[in-house]
């Protein structure tokens, strides 16, 4: 069914002549007539009485006109949305909860990329779990993903390193390890770890797989919903000498009162990367985005 034919039909039903509709749309009168006939064939009914000198709606035509008139605003809005995809290239880039997604969006939206590429719409999305993000990259549901360099990323994706991201252990001030210059996984074995962030659970799983390190979890069967700041507050007032693990990018915007943060050494590093499906050839606008974003994220943040 032609959308233009519906527009012609509504204009004629509103009182315009075939000739006026043709003039308005810069086409011939016969083109308007043929479009209306095709619309009637698609619907299987006649919309206009043609036996009279004056054009009038049939019963089916009146019903169709009444409903389409109500839908016209939504119809135009839908057409505008669909047309947008024909004039713009969309890039969907997912950020797993590591960096401050709001700060990242602000920096990118206030950059020059939009001026340089006005026809490219970059959507920075938030994702909770790298384990789900990688399959979406592989299946083509996402164009890029920003996450830590886990083994699945190395296996299934090409990637570019954005920043090194140090792993930190956070302890209450009275913890036996709180005054150490650094700690190793071996130092942490005897203490219980509190985790709620999927990224940190994946980090701990990878450390366990590559080192002789079996962490003591508070309760592996529990599904925590606490935010990072809530975990930190709990650590601060913990009396059972627990600890938590966070990346440097996780703790940059947290108030670390009553806790001590100590870097973890002697284990794999998990830098922040921007990744895309391995073997996928990037379109020119995607390559421009990758180059621009990598450069932008390497710049020091400007603060007032």
């Amino acid at each position: 069914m032609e959308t233009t034919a519906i527009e012609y039909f509504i204009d004629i039903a509103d009182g315009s002549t075939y000739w006026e509709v043709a003039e308005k749309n810069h086409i011939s009168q016969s083109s308007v007539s043929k479009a209306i006939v095709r619309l009637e064939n698609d619907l299987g009914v006649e919309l206009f009485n043609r036996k009279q000198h004056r054009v009038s709606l049939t019963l089916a035509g009146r019903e169709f006109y009444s409903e389409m008139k109500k839908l016209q605003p939504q119809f135009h809005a839908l057409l505008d949305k669909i047309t947008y995809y024909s004039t713009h290239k969309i890039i969907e880039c997912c950020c797993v909860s590591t960096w401050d997604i709001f700060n990242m969006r602000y920096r990118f939206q206030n950059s020059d990329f939009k001026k340089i590429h006005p026809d490219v719409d970059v959507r920075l999305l938030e994702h909770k779990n790298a384990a789900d993000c990688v399959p979406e990259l592989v299946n083509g549901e996402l164009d890029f993903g920003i996450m830590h360099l886990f083994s699945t990323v190395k296996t299934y994706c090409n990637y570019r390193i954005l920043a090194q991201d140090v792993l930190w252990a956070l302890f209450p001030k009275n913890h036996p390890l709180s005054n150490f210059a650094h700690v190793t996984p071996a130092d942490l074995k005897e203490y219980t770890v509190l985790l709620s962030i999927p990224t940190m659970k994946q980090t701990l799983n990878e450390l366990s797989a590559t080192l002789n390190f079996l962490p003591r979890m508070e309760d592996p069967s529990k599904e925590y919903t606490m935010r990072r700041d809530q975990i930190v507050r709990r650590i601060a007032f913990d009396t059972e000498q627990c600890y938590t693990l966070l990346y440097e990018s996780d703790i940059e915007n947290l108030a670390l009162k009553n806790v001590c943060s100590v870097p973890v050494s002697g284990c794999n590093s998990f830098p922040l990367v921007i990744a895309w499906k391995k073997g996928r050839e990037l379109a020119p606008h995607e390559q421009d985005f990758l180059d621009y974003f990598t450069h932008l994220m390497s710049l020091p943040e400007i603060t007032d």
Side-chain angles (χ1 to χ4, degrees), residues 40-264:
E40 290 177 320
N41 290 337
D42 287 340
L43 295 171
V45 296
E46 290 188 350
L47 299 173
F48 293 109
N49 290 310
R50 293 179 171 81
K51 295 179 181 179
Q52 303 174 13
H53 179 69
R54 183 181 176 186
V55 174
S56 63
L57 292 168
T58 63
L59 182 61
R62 290 199 297 272
E63 184 73 23
F64 187 63
Y65 171 74
S66 175
E67 293 303 317
M68 289 307 301
K69 194 69 175 175
K70 295 175 188 176
L71 294 173
Q72 195 173 30
Q74 296 96 312
F75 181 66
H76 285 159
L78 176 60
L79 286 180
D80 289 341
K81 287 182 180 179
I82 297 302
T83 302
Y84 182 84
Y85 288 95
S86 69
T87 58
H88 288 74
K89 303 177 184 72
I90 311 299
I91 293 177
E92 289 194 321
C93 180
C94 173
C95 178
V96 177
S97 296
T98 49
W99 269 358
D100 184 344
I101 182 66
F102 301 105
N103 176 52
M104 188 184 299
R105 283 186 186 136
Y106 177 81
R107 292 185 69 182
F108 188 78
Q109 289 169 357
N110 288 274
S111 70
D112 291 330
F113 186 84
K114 193 66 178 177
K115 297 176 183 176
I116 301 170
H117 299 280
D119 61 333
V120 178
D121 181 358
V122 178
R123 299 175 180 179
L124 294 177
L125 313 173
E126 187 173 8
H127 212 302
K128 298 299 180 185
N129 196 340
D132 295 330
C133 186
V134 171
E136 290 178 14
L137 287 172
V138 173
N139 295 333
E141 299 170 45
L142 289 169
D143 300 306
F144 295 96
I146 298 168
M147 66 197 84
H148 286 98
L149 186 56
F150 296 121
S151 59
T152 53
V153 180
K154 293 180 180 179
T155 302
Y156 298 106
C157 299
N158 294 328
Y159 58 88
R160 193 178 283 184
I161 293 177
L162 296 174
Q164 298 298 329
D165 209 8
V166 178
L167 188 63
W168 292 75
L170 272 63
F171 305 101
K173 286 190 173 181
N174 63 346
H175 196 283
L177 301 179
S178 62
N179 292 322
F180 279 40
H182 61 84
V183 294
T184 66
D187 297 324
L188 301 173
K189 277 186 179 181
E190 303 302 318
Y191 303 99
T192 301
V193 60
L194 306 180
L195 296 177
S196 68
I197 305 171
T199 299
M200 297 316 307
K201 290 181 179 179
Q202 188 166 355
T203 300
L204 208 57
N205 288 338
E206 298 225 356
L207 289 177
S208 302
T210 56
L211 301 172
N212 183 22
F213 172 51
L214 295 175
R216 288 172 53 185
M217 304 289 290
E218 183 187 43
D219 184 348
S221 66
K222 283 186 179 180
E223 286 294 330
Y224 293 104
T225 57
M226 287 188 289
R227 303 188 309 270
R228 287 172 294 183
D229 58 323
Q230 293 172 321
I231 283 280
V232 171
R233 281 199 296 271
R234 180 172 171 184
I235 290 294
F237 300 103
D238 180 68
T239 58
E240 300 177 7
Q241 296 189 335
C242 294
Y243 71 97
T244 191
L245 292 172
L246 288 174
Y247 285 106
E248 190 169 40
S249 59
D250 290 316
I251 65 177
E252 284 178 348
N253 298 308
L254 294 176
L256 301 181
K257 295 180 179 179
N258 301 313
V259 297
C260 294
S261 54
V262 180
V264 180

